[in-house]
Structures are given as C-alpha cells and as structure tokens.
Amino acid sequence: MNWNRSKTLLVTGASGQLGRRVVEILLDAEAGPVVAATRSPEKLAALADRGAEIRRADFDDPASLDEAFDGVDRLLLVSTDALGHRVPQHRAAIRAAARAGVKHIVYTSLPNPEKWGAPFMLERAETEKVLEASGLGWTVLRNNLYTDDLLSKLANAIPSGQLAAAAGDGGAPYVTLEDCAGAAAAALASSDFDGRTIDVTGPAVVTHTDLAKLASDISREQVTYVRTSPEELRKGFIAAGMSRDEADVLVTIDVAISKGLLGGVTDAVEELTGHPPASVAEFLAEHSDVLFSTVEPALVGTGVMNSRSRSSAVRP
C-alpha cells in the first residue's frame, strides 16, 4: 500500500470517536497535512496540539463546508447521526467537496444498505448513489457492527444470565472501531483502494449463541441466549425507557442479523492496514474489566443500546 504524503486529507466528524481516531492514526503515520473538521472545533484542542488543522464544518451550513473543504485533496465523509436527515446533509457535503476541488471522497456506510428496507439504511444506500454519481473519485467502506458495543450488551446480560435478542441463528462479523479507523485512514491516505466498495469485517461471523458462551466463559456464570420475537424485543426496549425510534433501530438490526444481511467475512482490514482484525473473543478478553464495571459502558455508535442511551449513539 502506498500512502501519498503530499495530499491534504480531511476527516469530517472529527470530534466523534471514529473520526477522532482516524485523525490520530494519520498523525501517527505522518500521512501529510491533516484537517480535522467538526461542528465543535473547541473539542479538538488536543488534535490541534498534535499538528492537525482544525476547521468548523456544519453539514447544515453550506458556507462552512466551502471554507472547511478549501484546499483539500481527499476527504473522509463519516456518516452523520441525523437520522432522517442524512441524505441532504451528505449531499450538501459532496457538493461542497466538488466546488472546493476535492478529488476523492471515502464514505463510511454499512453492509447491504439497499436490502434492509429500513429508512435509516436507505439513507446509506442513497448516499452511496449520490457519491458515485458526483463525478468525484470515491471509495465506500461498509463497516460492520462494532465489536465495542458488545461490551454494553454483554454487561447487561451477565447479571441476569440472559442475552435476549431477535437475531435467530444469524450472526455478524463484528469489527472493532480501531480496525475500522485503521481501514479508513488507509483508504483516505492511499489511492490503492479508489473506486471500490469494501466490506470491512472482523475475522469470523459470531452468533448470539457464541456471544452467550463468551459471556459465560469470561464471567464464569451461565449466560443463555434467549430467542425472542421482534415484537417482544421492541416492547421490552420501550418498557425499559427507550424511545420507539431507538427501539425500532435496534430491532431492525437484530432482524437483519437473522436474515444474514450483515454479510460474510472479508480480508479488508488486513488488506487495508497490513494486520489481521481483532476477534470478538480477543476484544472481550482485553476489555473484560469493563463487563464488570458498575458504570455502564458507553456506546461507540452502532447497533447495541441500553435503556439510557440516546438515539445519537446509534450508528445506523
């Protein structure tokens, strides 16, 4: 893989966990001029101290995008958290990038967005179409569900001994945020992956039966996978204090897992980063202390959410 260190690289959503980590990886690798863009520049003082240029970019303010993208060669478009409004936001960013002379956009999506049928996934599919029709160079990274969010899910399951889900016998090749960030940094800094739609996955498909066993092994307490219907799961989430929209997103993800829509395993992480992806078992063992913490683990932005989580934490 060849990183072109003379190009100016911009990462949107740099105050979020994925965007921030991509910026850190680029700075560590001395990838060239790095711009960190966010609605809240005051949150990125630490990145500025490390050498990143901080620019304000509000996807609802086209003028801010024109200024933020000026002089940028390649741009990472991290999908926003504005469910129901992401297509116009993403379209505005893509158009601003074209006006600014950006040559290439890397976009973070999810597997098979056109097949889920859910509005929040159709936003992903539509953004991919807008990008491909833009005339700009593009790469689409379809990141799978984050392994990191299993910490919250299993931390809630261990005390009760039950892991309830509507995922049937399906599974997902969970991938860590760290591996997704490394893949995104590589796709942004190198032209080797231009013009490709890449499924970014962990090393194995993991079912909820597998997750229950892993939780049992780590906790040394019996944890059983309890299969439930989507309707029952939705009622349980709402009864626990979750909004209907939040519950619908999580139920939809379980149904997608049951239908095999999260896809199979790829070698994308190793191809992009040069190292194999971390497995679910490795990640959970490394973070086992979090599973027994009295403080609920924070979500990093994918499909597992506890009753006190906000909808903005849901990556889909």
Side-chain angles (χ1 to χ4, degrees), residues 98-282:
R99 291 193 299 270
V102 174
K103 298 298 189 292
H104 193 90
I105 293 178
V106 179
Y107 171 61
T108 60
S109 189
L110 279 166
N112 297 311
E114 70 286 353
K115 296 181 180 179
W116 289 44
F120 65 82
M121 288 300 289
L122 294 176
E123 289 180 317
R124 300 275 191 169
E126 182 62 24
T127 298
E128 291 185 12
K129 292 178 182 178
V130 171
L131 179 57
E132 291 174 15
S134 68
L136 300 175
W138 57 269
T139 304
V140 173
L141 299 178
R142 290 180 169 179
N143 295 335
N144 221 280
L145 301 181
Y146 286 150
T147 311
D148 307 53
D149 286 343
L150 294 175
L151 292 174
S152 179
K153 187 165 192 171
L154 298 183
N156 290 330
I158 288 171
S160 68
Q162 294 186 336
L163 176 62
D169 294 323
Y174 297 92
V175 62
T176 65
L177 182 143
E178 179 68 18
D179 283 333
C180 288
L188 182 62
S190 172
S191 61
D192 292 354
F193 313 102
D194 291 3
R196 293 175 56 186
T197 297
I198 303 173
D199 285 328
V200 181
T201 78
V205 172
V206 178
T207 68
H208 277 69
T209 299
D210 297 328
L211 291 175
K213 184 178 186 306
L214 286 168
S216 298
D217 291 344
I218 292 171
S219 67
R220 299 186 180 181
E221 300 286 346
Q222 183 63 39
V223 178
T224 302
Y225 170 35
V226 179
R227 292 170 173 80
T228 185
S229 70
E231 293 75 19
E232 291 171 333
L233 190 64
R234 183 179 291 104
K235 289 179 182 177
F237 284 144
I238 294 172
M242 195 176 291
S243 74
R244 183 170 296 277
D245 287 345
E246 291 171 339
D248 284 345
V249 168
L250 296 192
V251 170
T252 298
I253 291 171
D254 269 16
V255 171
I257 292 173
S258 74
K259 294 180 177 179
L261 294 181
L262 275 299
V265 173
T266 73
D267 63 355
V269 170
E270 186 160 11
E271 180 187 5
L272 285 155
T273 69
H275 63 74
S279 70
V280 169
E282 291 168 341

